[in-house]
């Protein structure tokens, strides 16, 4: 399906962005580490016995603090990269040409039919034209960028194959794998 190609393109683009962000984060962490070591050396010169005990304590604290700050910077960078990936994926899905949108919409409808007997189908105005002859309700109440949401006749079962929900599901379910691939 075309989503795999888009996913691969996005992951490839994100790898290069991730490398740059991580290098910048490491540079900042090194700067923090150097500043901490400088502080330690200045204090060491003032007093021998007492300073040694104090320096050991401060060094451990500063190094721990620097390591934590480094981890924080790296995690934030990774988070930004992953958010960027999914934002880019959403933009690409929103900009699909009509041929691809129709193909994806029809495939999603078939997937819905495997899950429930759909009576009510909700979608964006862009996608409604691809499901002629069905009880389709284009909706603007909720922000649906693409895909389908359907309910059974009694409205007791709802399946949500909107692009936003599917991207969120991929993000939650595959976050560990995405991290391994990117980092």
């Amino acid at each position: 399906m075309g989503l795999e190609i888009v996913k691969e393109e996005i992951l490839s683009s994100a790898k290069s962005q991730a490398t740059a962000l991580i290098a910048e984060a490491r540079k900042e962490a090194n700067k923090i580490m150097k500043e901490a070591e400088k502080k330690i050396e200045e204090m060491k010169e003032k007093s021998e016995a007492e300073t040694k005990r104090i320096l050991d304590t401060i060094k451990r604290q500063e190094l721990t603090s620097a390591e934590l700050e480094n981890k924080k910077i790296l995690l934030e960078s990774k988070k930004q990269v992953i958010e960027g990936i999914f934002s880019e994926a959403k933009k690409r899905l929103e900009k699909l040409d009509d041929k691809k949108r129709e193909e994806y919409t029809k495939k999603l409808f078939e997937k819905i039919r495997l899950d429930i007997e759909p009576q009510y189908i909700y979608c964006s105005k862009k996608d409604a034209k691809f499901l002629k002859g069905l009880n389709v309700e284009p909706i603007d109440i909720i922000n649906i960028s693409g895909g389908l949401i359907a309910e059974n006749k009694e409205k007791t079962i709802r399946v949500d194959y909107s692009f936003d929900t599917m991207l969120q599901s991929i993000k939650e379910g595959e976050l560990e794998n995405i991290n391994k691939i990117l980092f």
Side-chain angles (χ1 to χ4, degrees):
M1 192 164 146
L3 286 175
E4 265 318 299
I5 294 170
V6 170
K7 178 181 169 185
E8 290 301 319
E9 288 176 3
I10 291 170
L11 286 175
S12 174
S13 171
K15 281 183 184 180
S16 63
Q17 292 174 2
T19 302
L21 285 171
I22 289 171
E24 187 177 309
R26 286 189 176 133
K27 182 178 176 182
E28 183 65 25
N30 284 337
K31 180 181 171 186
I32 292 169
M33 293 284 277
K34 286 178 183 178
E35 288 174 7
E37 289 174 358
K38 182 179 177 183
K39 284 181 186 179
I40 291 169
E41 287 300 318
E42 289 172 1
M43 294 175 82
K44 197 180 223 183
E45 294 172 4
K46 291 180 182 177
S47 165
E48 283 296 323
E50 182 64 20
T51 303
K52 175 123 174 72
R53 186 183 64 78
I54 292 171
L55 285 176
D56 289 343
T57 302
I58 292 173
K59 185 175 181 178
R60 281 193 304 274
Q61 290 173 345
E62 290 292 329
L63 290 175
T64 301
S65 176
E67 287 172 1
L68 288 174
E69 186 65 23
N70 183 29
K71 286 180 183 179
K72 181 180 172 185
I73 291 169
L74 287 173
L75 285 174
E76 185 59 34
S77 296
K78 287 178 181 183
K79 180 182 174 187
Q80 287 176 359
V81 168
I82 290 170
E83 289 299 324
I85 289 168
F86 282 95
S87 177
E88 180 66 24
K90 182 178 178 179
K91 286 177 189 173
R92 287 185 182 193
L93 288 171
E94 288 172 350
K95 293 178 183 178
L96 286 174
D97 60 47
D98 277 356
K99 184 178 179 183
K100 280 289 186 191
R101 279 190 92 83
E102 180 177 18
E103 178 185 336
Y104 291 162
T105 301
K106 288 182 177 182
K107 284 182 181 181
L108 290 173
F109 181 71
E110 290 304 316
K111 186 166 176 53
I112 286 171
R113 289 183 61 204
L114 294 173
D115 294 339
I116 65 170
E117 190 174 320
Q119 183 67 32
Y120 305 98
I121 302 164
Y122 310 101
C123 63
S124 70
K125 287 183 179 180
K126 286 183 185 178
D127 296 335
K129 63 186 173 188
F130 304 127
L131 298 169
K132 292 183 176 158
L134 299 171
N135 188 14
V136 177
E137 296 180 32
I139 50 175
D140 291 325
I141 297 170
I142 50 176
N143 188 10
I144 181 169
S145 58
L148 304 172
I149 300 171
E151 294 178 330
N152 64 351
K153 186 176 183 177
E154 298 80 21
K155 292 190 174 189
T156 56
I157 301 173
R158 174 182 274 197
V159 289
D160 186 344
Y161 289 124
S162 64
F163 291 165
D164 297 325
T165 300
M166 289 189 298
L167 284 172
Q168 187 62 32
S169 177
I170 291 169
K171 184 176 173 182
E172 290 170 1
E174 297 295 325
L175 190 58
E176 187 175 323
N177 290 332
I178 292 168
N179 270 316
K180 285 180 184 176
I181 291 168
L182 292 176
F183 311 110

